[in-house]
Amino acid sequence: MKTKFSGILTLFLAFVVQLSFAQEKTISGTISDENGLPLPGVNVIVKGTTNGTQTDFDGNYSIGANQGDVLSYSFVGYTTKEMAVGASNTISFAMEPNVEAIDEVVITAFNVERTADQITTSNQVVDADEITKANNPNVVQSLAGKVSGLQINTTNYGVDQDTRIVFRGPRSITGNNEALVVVDGVIQSANFLSNLNPELIESVNAIKGANGAALYGSRGANGVLIVTTKKGAEGSKMRVNINTSTQFESVAYLPERQTLYGQGWDGNHYTYENGGWGPRYDGSLQPVGLPDYDGNFTVRPYAPIEDNVKDFFTNGTTFQNSVAISGGTATSSTSLFVGNQRTEFVIPGDELNRTTVNFKANKKLGKLTIGGNASYVTRSTNTTSNALYGELLHTPGNVDVNDFSTGDNNLHWNGYFNSPYWYLNNQRSDNDTNRFNGIGEIKYDVNDNINVVYRISGTLTETTGESYRNGFTDVIQFSGSDRSILSSYATSKSSSRSIYSDLLVNFDYDLSDDFSLQVLLGNNITDNMSSSVSHSDTDLTIAGFYNAQNYTGVPTTGNSKARSRTIGLFGQVDLGYKDFLFLSATGRNDWTSRLHKDNRSFFYPSVGLSFVPTKAFPSIKGDVLGYAKVSANYVQVGNANVGTYATDVVGVQAGGYSYGDLNSFVINPSITDPMIENEYINSLEFNLDLEFFKRRLTLSGSYYNTENKNQIIGVQGSSASGVSNLTQNIGKTSSEGFEVDLGFTPIRTDNFEWTNNLSFTTYETKVDELADGVNSLALTNSVAGMAIFAEVGQPFPVIKATSYERDPYGRVLIDTDSPYNAPRTTSEFVNPQKTTPDYIINYNTSFSYKGFTLSAVMDYRTGHVFGSLTARELTWSGHAPVTAQNGRQPFIFPNSAIEVSPGVYEANNSYTTGGNTMADYVNYFSGDYADVGENNIFDATAFKVRELSLTYEFPSKILSNTKIDRLSVGVIARNPITVFPDENIGIDPEVNFSTGNAQGISNTAQYPSTRSFGFNVNLTF
């Protein structure tokens, strides 16, 4: 009996032991680097399962596992370590650097991976955390201040902001200078990137010059942004990430206005005036604006109201929410992303709604790997006319805009311009865009050394637009001016289809113990098709009925279709010697349908060399110098900047037609040389990369010299020839510049780290040649006495303006025969000044303490100028500070002189400018002074804090008993601080009337700059 009982007891104890071993428990610990510092982001996975987690900021982790399981710890640049789960619930250790794997892998052209040592060109990688740190809904804007050599300008603020992306300054005079955008190996537009949800992005590799983009041929001449989106990790458990952010937007600043004089003109108070040319403020009660329908006026104190114009704007909001689900097995990965952005702008009623859905998956089937990526973006905007800002500028300082907010244009505060509130309800545009993008990729590994990749992508985009303007009848015409407006309606629809495919063959061989060879051979086909149709008319029959059947006359119609194709063959050879010397050569030949058949084929070569002394001479590598690399490259590439059918002879409708039953067509007077060729860019670049004190100090520098010749430029034709504009191969520019990047980490302890990245960028493009006999080419029409030019011998572009005539000593010459003793002015545009910065300084800094991280991004741009139509309008209407100087009394013009006889000058001490009456004074400033372009040009220097963010990541120990893997919360600010020089009255020099090459002039259609504050929550489980 005792023996049987002992046997049963033994079996029971064995069962209990077995049960205890099978029972899951929580394993926690801390992972550090080779220096004993916490290592965040280490992947911890239970081997053979999809159960995994990551270490937090402090290197801590916790994971459920059974005794006897094996935990795998992996991190880029470190040797993967496996630890068996024993009786202890704690596993902590230091990761060991993997000398062989420490080389950084960079995604280059056509999604080809290369180590940082192999790359012979200047590039900079921005990871996902840097892009999303301040929750900017626009990916392009989030790159501002983070990449040396890259200038991101927000040229127009609004619910749908415009941006311009330029590497190393403009080079082509009238062609495209913006960077190429490549997303997941497929060429896309900058607009596509702007509308890509930032939470989708894994990294952006910024290839700064033509040198790094030679494989993309003509499209890569201006540098490339290679964007890689996130995907599910192979062998990982399913993860769900939820991100939500709320931001509040407000006007950052408005142009400074004088606060001494109120509503009126010629020194008199008129209730219907838009100008600030009235009497000096005295606080007395005075009527304001137009009378109501009963003839009664609004009465208010005749005194300045602080920020009265700002009261028109509201507080905007942006809500961003996204859910990402990802996971994978040992041979597959899958991810699904759904995100939404809803923005209400500071202009009441202006809204944007954008939804993004993205599905990405790949599967390995032996030697075959199949992958795909499908995304759908739907986007809608509802906006009013940006003309309202120009109307708003004409608001006297004593007007309380809230008194006139009904939107009735007959009850406005002035009788010459329209009410901004009227625009809000009576002139609006709706635009809806649907974009689908699908990417399919098949990769076959022929053997360990050869693989073949075929990638095809299709992008379908459809945009519909509808706009209306209600009619208005000025029944009072109190000022004597008829402000009546005709109603109008317009609608449009455009669609585009882009097919893009690559066939790539990759060879990767070790020729010997010393030599390695990598070869890429490829074919690319691009097929773009677009079409559009539109119609519009004015004076609708029935008010408020927005339909084409409501037109009263013959509508204005338009439609277009275009298709272009490009075929490319290319190759790249990378030869390595002992892992420290690399030679890279590329070649590409394109055939484009845009050029004549005799010129449509062109070839682009490049060659580069990279040398890593710290690997060639290991003895120089130590605690001080840890890494050194020098590289150089030369490339020839180009731009085919011509329209789809520009080289064909096409007819256009003659002016004034159609007329009744008649129609007429003529040869397009704007022609392109049918034998035109592509532009050529020859670029030479040298680079240096150094690392010191175990990457506590890094230094990188690049110098480049570029020649852009055979440019495609349109010049004005002669009237006798019948040609209004001729586009041909003329002109040459040359560019030179350098970039320096300094990274330093002054403090790094177990709990605290301070990292910094400082960069300096300088560049200049000069115009060497234009057409024969042409030394100056206007890129814009005259605006407020100013225009943008390409000028031989000058930087590109420059702004020239009408200016004051001066004597040899620089004194302004007074015209003593003019009614107001006004300064003498030039009739021609003179004094070219550059509109691109002399240099740009970017500064990124981050403080980390335990789970807290405080980060800032800022930049400083200087050495350039900009012209402002807003400043001109404020001067003309008497609202600019300059108009209130000298008590509005005649004055001796500063630093002025009189020409007493031809060529003889003396200082002006007696002739006063501004006339003898207030009417003279007003006429001088609103006419002579305001229209001199020199007075509307300002120093464009600007210091901007682009981003501030404070994030707290909860320790894994706190989350160990929950289903949550990671949890972070943060507060953010965008554009919180801006500093301008004193002469700038509060106008953003970054804003421009277009996103094209004519940079340097802003008009009243650009809204004031905004700033945002908000918070976010990021949750992973």
Side-chain angles (χ1 to χ4, degrees), residues 290-293 410-411 473-481 483:
L290 303 179
D292 63 21
Y293 294 105
N410 279 308
L411 304 178
T473 301
D474 190 352
V475 297
I476 302 176
Q477 297 186 23
F478 192 81
S479 66
S481 175
R483 298 178 295 129

Side-chain angles (χ1 to χ4, degrees), residues 469-759:
R469 183 182 65 208
N470 292 326
F472 163 70
T473 301
D474 190 352
V475 297
I476 302 176
Q477 297 186 23
F478 192 81
S479 66
S481 175
D482 186 359
R483 298 178 295 129
S484 297
I485 299 172
L486 286 177
S487 59
S488 66
Y489 174 69
T491 184
S492 63
K493 182 177 181 179
S494 64
S495 61
S496 65
R497 184 268 292 153
S498 176
I499 296 176
Y500 182 91
S501 68
D502 291 322
L503 176 62
L504 309 173
V505 182
N506 294 283
F507 302 85
D508 190 348
Y509 282 93
D510 288 329
L511 302 179
S512 67
D513 291 341
D514 294 336
F515 288 94
S516 63
L517 176 67
Q518 292 174 303
V519 177
L520 166 67
L521 300 177
N523 162 251
N524 168 255
I525 299 175
T526 303
D527 190 333
N528 294 319
M529 182 183 294
S530 63
S531 64
S532 67
V533 61
S534 64
H535 58 79
S536 62
D537 199 13
T538 59
D539 197 13
L540 303 181
T541 305
I542 302 174
F545 179 42
Y546 311 121
N547 191 285
Q549 299 178 25
N550 199 26
Y551 294 153
T552 57
V554 178
T556 300
T557 61
N559 74 294
S560 65
K561 290 184 178 180
R563 185 179 185 183
S564 64
R565 284 169 287 183
T566 302
I567 298 175
L569 293 175
F570 52 87
Q572 177 173 340
V573 177
D574 293 290
L575 183 66
Y577 175 71
K578 288 190 176 181
D579 210 26
F580 65 75
L581 185 63
F582 301 93
L583 175 67
S584 178
T586 71
R588 174 172 176 133
N589 200 95
D590 276 349
W591 292 263
T592 177
S593 65
R594 293 174 180 262
L595 300 179
H596 188 274
K597 63 180 181 180
D598 293 336
N599 291 332
R600 63 181 45 161
S601 173
F602 38 89
F603 179 71
Y604 304 96
S606 80
V607 63
L609 188 68
S610 171
F611 174 59
V612 185
T614 46
K615 289 188 176 181
F617 311 106
S619 60
I620 67 174
K621 180 179 179 181
D623 292 337
V624 177
L625 178 63
Y627 179 80
K629 171 189 163 185
V630 291
S631 59
N633 57 81
Y634 172 80
V635 65
Q636 183 182 83
V637 70
N639 276 325
N641 287 312
V642 293
T644 303
Y645 304 116
T647 58
D648 297 325
V649 178
V650 296
V652 295
Q653 192 176 48
Y657 288 89
S658 60
Y659 182 76
D661 297 335
L662 301 177
N663 207 348
S664 177
F665 292 87
V666 297
I667 298 297
N668 191 344
S670 179
I671 65 174
T672 298
D673 179 1
M675 300 305 294
I676 201 166
E677 301 176 350
N678 60 293
E679 298 180 355
Y680 278 105
I681 298 174
N682 298 303
S683 183
L684 181 64
E685 180 184 79
F686 299 92
N687 306 294
L688 173 67
D689 298 280
L690 301 172
E691 296 177 4
F692 303 92
F693 308 112
K694 298 182 179 179
R695 292 185 62 88
R696 295 281 292 272
L697 179 66
T698 62
L699 179 65
S700 298
S702 297
Y703 168 81
Y704 58 90
N705 188 297
T706 301
E707 182 186 66
N708 192 347
K709 61 182 181 179
N710 209 41
Q711 294 213 17
I712 299 174
I713 299 176
V715 295
Q716 186 174 355
S718 66
S719 57
S721 68
V723 175
S724 62
N725 186 276
L726 173 61
T727 300
Q728 54 188 323
N729 289 118
I730 56 173
K732 184 177 76 170
T733 63
S734 56
S735 302
E736 185 178 38
F738 64 87
E739 300 128 11
V740 178
D741 290 88
L742 177 66
F744 54 100
T745 305
I747 303 174
R748 179 186 288 169
T749 67
D750 290 347
N751 294 323
F752 182 77
E753 184 175 69
W754 178 26
T755 61
N756 302 269
N757 288 282
L758 184 68
S759 70

Side-chain angles (χ1 to χ4, degrees), residues 170 172-173 177 765-767 779 789-790 794-798 836 997:
S172 181
I173 293 175
N177 283 297
T765 296
K766 281 194 174 182
V767 179
L779 303 184
F789 290 83
Q794 295 290 333
F796 175 76
V798 293
T836 54
N997 294 346

Side-chain angles (χ1 to χ4, degrees), residues 50-64:
T50 59
N51 179 25
T53 186
Q54 284 186 332
T55 58
D56 62 15
F57 177 81
D58 296 317
N60 299 322
Y61 74 96
S62 64
I63 189 171

